[in-house]
Amino acid sequence: MPCSNMSEVTDARLMAMIQQGDMPAFGQLYEKYGGFVDHAILSIAPSLGRAEVEDLCQDIFLAIRKGAGKYKEEGKLKPWIYSYATRMARQYRRRWAIRNRILGAMKGQRIAVAHTAEMAPDVGAMFHLDMGKLLGRLSEVQRQVLVLYEQDGLRGNEIGELLGMNVNTVWTHLRRARTVLTAQLESAEESKGV
């Protein structure tokens, strides 16, 4: 049964509608959580280009639609989506690394990780590339905590719930991530003579 005002639909109702094949409900889910999934992907695989992130995001939402029947309403749709996103991003990252190793071995050299050919040569793309390199220096959990806190605006207890850790551990990872990034940024500024 279609709903006239999709913005008022709860997550539980939205998932029930998706389980029944309601495509507008699926579009609403994508609209509501698409940015969140993008950030989850980048926290796991920060060196991916924009086109790869978009493709992987679509694949994740298709998997979510296919697996909608497995969702049990517990008021925790966001963690459920996050687990899909991070699991698939890790799988993609592993496949991508294996592919590059194979291609590198075939050519007798290493393959560069940068995706500059796919990025537009503007300031935003250059910032994304630099931040991708910087985020790549963090551990996976540090990237996840940093992105969830800084980009998605989640509170410590929400991050802890998503990642299955207590709030003190969240703050420790966030502090360590900021320390690493600050040191890297200061080092880059010194080398450029800023």
Side-chain angles (χ1 to χ4, degrees), residues 127-147:
F127 177 76
H128 172 74
L129 181 62
D130 291 343
M131 284 308 291
K133 286 181 181 178
L134 288 173
L135 289 174
R137 296 176 191 259
L138 301 175
S139 71
E140 184 175 298
V141 71
Q142 288 171 345
R143 281 193 309 268
Q144 288 176 305
V145 169
L146 184 74
V147 169

Side-chain angles (χ1 to χ4, degrees), residues 15-63:
M15 288 305 289
M17 293 165 69
I18 291 168
Q19 289 174 13
Q20 296 169 2
D22 188 323
M23 289 309 290
F26 181 65
Q28 178 68 21
L29 182 76
Y30 189 88
E31 193 174 300
K32 185 173 184 179
Y33 290 108
F36 178 72
V37 169
D38 271 7
H39 296 156
I41 293 168
L42 288 171
S43 74
I44 299 296
S47 62
L48 293 182
R50 187 72 224 146
E52 291 170 309
V53 171
E54 288 172 1
D55 288 346
L56 185 53
C57 185
Q58 288 178 3
D59 290 345
I60 289 166
F61 273 95
L62 291 174

Side-chain angles (χ1 to χ4, degrees), residues 41 44-45 47-48 52-60 63 84-104 111 113 115 140:
I41 293 168
I44 299 296
S47 62
L48 293 182
E52 291 170 309
V53 171
E54 288 172 1
D55 288 346
L56 185 53
C57 185
Q58 288 178 3
D59 290 345
I60 289 166
Y84 258 93
T86 55
R87 184 175 59 250
M88 289 183 69
R90 283 185 189 102
Q91 290 169 351
Y92 182 88
R93 185 182 64 193
R94 279 191 296 272
R95 283 192 314 264
W96 184 77
I98 291 167
R99 178 182 164 267
N100 278 340
R101 266 190 254 137
I102 291 168
L103 289 174
I111 303 292
V113 176
H115 297 280
E140 184 175 298

Side-chain angles (χ1 to χ4, degrees), residues 179-191:
T179 300
V180 169
L181 289 180
T182 300
Q184 291 298 317
L185 290 170
E186 287 172 358
S187 174
E189 288 174 358
E190 287 175 11
S191 68

